[in-house]
Amino acid sequence: MTTRRLRGETTHPRLRYLVVALCLGACAMAGKYSREVNEPKPSGSDGQTVEFRIAKLNQVWEKAKRMQLSPVRLTELHSDLKIQEKDEMQWKKMKVEGLDENGEKEAQLRRNFNVILAKYGMDGKRDTRPLESNYLKDHDTKEADAFDDPRLDKLWNKAKSSGKFSSEELLSLKREFQHHKDKIHEYNILMDTVSRTEEIHKNVISPLEGDTKEHVLHQKHTELKQKMRDLNQGFERLRKLSHEGFTEDSEFREPRVIELWEAAKRANLSDDELDSIKEELHHFETKVEKHSHYQEQLELSHQKLQHVEALGDKEHIKRNKEKYNTLAEKTREMSYKMKKHMQDLSNKISQQGLAHNEL
């Protein structure tokens, strides 16, 4: 079993694992998730190269570039749009084959698209919730209102002053709290999106009638209930972690990976299936850590570019802009691969758990 000792250890086994995995990263780039991101970019109706194969996604991307989002959020949006593009292209094939007759998948895609618009402030609504959550800005956040949620703030302040955590453990704990805050934000966006969709159904004639319409609405509420259960389980885990501290045999340290591992343990899987998921999650955690590193480097590169632009040396600006653009492209690529891998892992855990429950 992989262990994690945060105090008094000079040669960290996870660090050795990470170094080896990162060295193999170049080979992995040519694998499963590289094929899609390295495809030639599509062309629009005017023959010009465009970023996405779907017009509405290109419109969102062009608008986002004009909105002065931070470099990290722009790369995150790009990967979300790539996932949306992949899902919509798959749905179009399903439709041609006569699948999705009740419109459930189509409704989910529409909802996912609306969530993306709301998440990045492009849904036309004024959103007062904080949207920036990249690494550098996390360190500038005032501790008193770090998580914009009274329960989280109270739990964090109690854990911070308990003396149970080393400085490195506190950073790991803070990442978990930040992840939970982001999950609350996503839930609120989804709930608002579902509410507005229901209002539209009430006020216009819908092509979905009778049992079919009810089925789609039921599916939306089922998704909301599951996300609420996930939030409650996540908060309970934070509460336990804050009171008891990290255990010596903790399997993972990245919040998204921990969330998947907890879901796998609840999914009634066999020991062999759990071991297989655990091994894959270790590889996925390395990908998450590498992605976080690239995000930090992108933010630093952007700051350097702004500094150079202020000095006005055109040759220096050109060199730094090329480096920044290359790094931004690489970060977008890694963000997509990570999110696609997470989506696949989540689906795999759900499907295996469902198969066991049906036996």
Side-chain angles (χ1 to χ4, degrees):
M1 181 179 287
T2 305
T3 60
R4 180 165 65 97
R5 298 178 184 275
L6 291 170
R7 295 188 179 91
E9 190 171 18
T10 55
T11 306
H12 199 302
R14 283 192 57 82
L15 182 59
R16 289 199 300 271
Y17 176 86
L18 177 60
V19 170
V20 172
L22 288 179
C23 289
L24 295 172
C27 296
M29 288 296 178
K32 180 178 179 183
Y33 302 106
S34 296
R35 198 179 308 113
E36 293 164 335
V37 293
N38 290 328
E39 288 177 350
K41 289 187 177 180
S43 298
S45 57
D46 58 356
Q48 296 293 315
T49 299
V50 292
E51 199 70 27
F52 302 97
R53 289 171 288 178
I54 298 174
K56 68 179 180 182
L57 302 185
N58 281 312
Q59 291 168 1
V60 170
W61 178 243
E62 292 302 320
K63 180 179 178 181
K65 289 193 292 184
R66 297 192 297 268
M67 285 175 61
Q68 296 183 324
L69 295 178
S70 74
V72 169
R73 280 192 65 74
L74 206 54
T75 62
E76 289 299 291
L77 170 62
H78 189 277
S79 58
D80 283 343
L81 291 175
K82 285 292 287 185
I83 295 285
Q84 181 75 14
E85 177 185 54
K86 174 191 65 67
D87 290 343
E88 293 209 17
M89 297 301 287
Q90 287 178 348
W91 170 76
K92 286 180 180 179
K93 290 180 182 178
M94 286 174 61
K95 194 174 180 182
V96 169
E97 294 167 4
L99 304 175
D100 195 37
E101 290 183 4
N102 63 6
E104 183 177 325
K105 180 66 176 177
E106 182 180 11
Q108 183 182 26
L109 285 171
R110 193 183 305 115
R111 189 162 64 253
N112 290 348
F113 181 66
N114 288 334
V115 166
I116 291 173
L117 295 181
K119 182 178 176 182
Y120 295 94
M122 289 184 280
D123 60 345
K125 291 187 66 178
R126 181 177 176 82
D127 190 352
T128 57
R129 291 184 296 258
L131 292 172
E132 302 290 351
S133 61
N134 64 58
Y135 175 86
L136 294 176
K137 284 189 168 55
D138 279 350
H139 291 278
D140 297 331
T141 305
K142 292 181 180 178
E143 298 290 351
D145 57 350
F147 306 108
D148 305 301
D149 181 282
R151 290 200 308 170
L152 287 182
D153 291 337
K154 183 178 179 180
L155 202 57
W156 168 250
N157 289 325
K158 190 172 182 179
K160 193 176 59 170
S161 59
S162 67
K164 294 177 182 176
F165 301 95
S166 68
S167 56
E168 189 176 348
E169 284 175 324
L170 274 177
L171 282 176
S172 295
L173 185 63
K174 187 172 184 180
R175 281 203 303 271
E176 297 228 22
F177 271 76
Q178 180 63 52
H179 178 66
H180 191 78
K181 171 188 169 181
D182 292 341
K183 297 291 285 184
I184 293 173
H185 187 191
E186 289 171 11
Y187 174 81
N188 289 334
I189 287 174
L190 181 61
M191 186 167 61
D192 184 53
T193 302
V194 169
S195 297
R196 279 186 285 162
T197 303
E198 287 187 342
E199 284 300 315
I200 291 170
H201 276 305
K202 289 176 185 177
N203 294 314
V204 301
I205 298 173
S206 171
L208 301 173
E209 298 295 341
D211 294 339
T212 302
K213 180 177 175 181
E214 287 300 317
H215 176 75
V216 172
L217 292 176
H218 175 72
Q219 194 267 342
K220 292 176 185 176
H221 286 285
T222 300
E223 186 179 350
L224 274 174
K225 287 177 184 176
Q226 182 57 52
K227 286 190 177 294
M228 177 53 76
R229 277 196 294 270
D230 291 343
L231 280 176
N232 289 335
Q233 288 164 349
F235 183 80
E236 182 57 29
R237 184 182 179 280
L238 280 180
R239 190 194 62 76
K240 184 178 179 182
L241 196 57
S242 299
H243 283 86
E244 300 176 7
F246 289 98
T247 59
E248 293 295 324
D249 61 348
S250 296
E251 287 290 346
F252 306 101
R253 58 182 177 185
E254 285 292 336
R256 280 168 286 200
V257 184
I258 292 168
E259 185 179 331
L260 287 169
W261 178 235
E262 293 295 326
K265 289 192 292 185
R266 293 193 302 267
N268 194 28
L269 304 181
S270 68
D271 290 342
D272 286 345
E273 286 171 330
L274 270 179
D275 286 341
S276 175
I277 290 290
K278 185 192 296 184
E279 183 178 353
E280 193 167 353
L281 285 175
H282 278 300
H283 291 296
F284 177 61
E285 184 166 53
T286 302
K287 191 176 288 184
V288 173
E289 290 169 343
K290 190 173 181 182
H291 173 245
S292 297
H293 171 73
Y294 268 81
Q295 284 185 319
E296 294 163 25
Q297 295 305 307
L298 180 64
E299 189 67 35
L300 289 170
S301 177
H302 183 250
Q303 291 177 5
K304 184 177 180 181
L305 177 59
Q306 287 180 315
H307 175 70
V308 169
E309 285 175 337
L311 296 176
D313 185 332
K314 290 184 179 180
E315 189 59 35
H316 205 183
I317 290 171
K318 182 183 177 183
R319 285 200 305 271
N320 277 272
K321 189 169 285 187
E322 287 173 354
K323 289 178 182 178
Y324 170 76
N325 289 337
T326 300
L327 188 56
E329 183 70 29
K330 188 72 171 176
T331 307
R332 287 200 296 266
E333 202 175 294
M334 292 188 65
S335 181
Y336 170 77
K337 291 175 185 175
M338 186 198 72
K339 288 179 181 179
K340 179 66 174 67
H341 196 173
M342 185 171 181
Q343 187 184 58
D344 289 347
L345 280 167
S346 181
N347 290 338
K348 182 178 180 180
I349 291 168
S350 298
Q351 288 164 5
Q352 287 183 344
L354 186 62
H356 279 281
N357 291 334
E358 289 176 347
L359 293 177

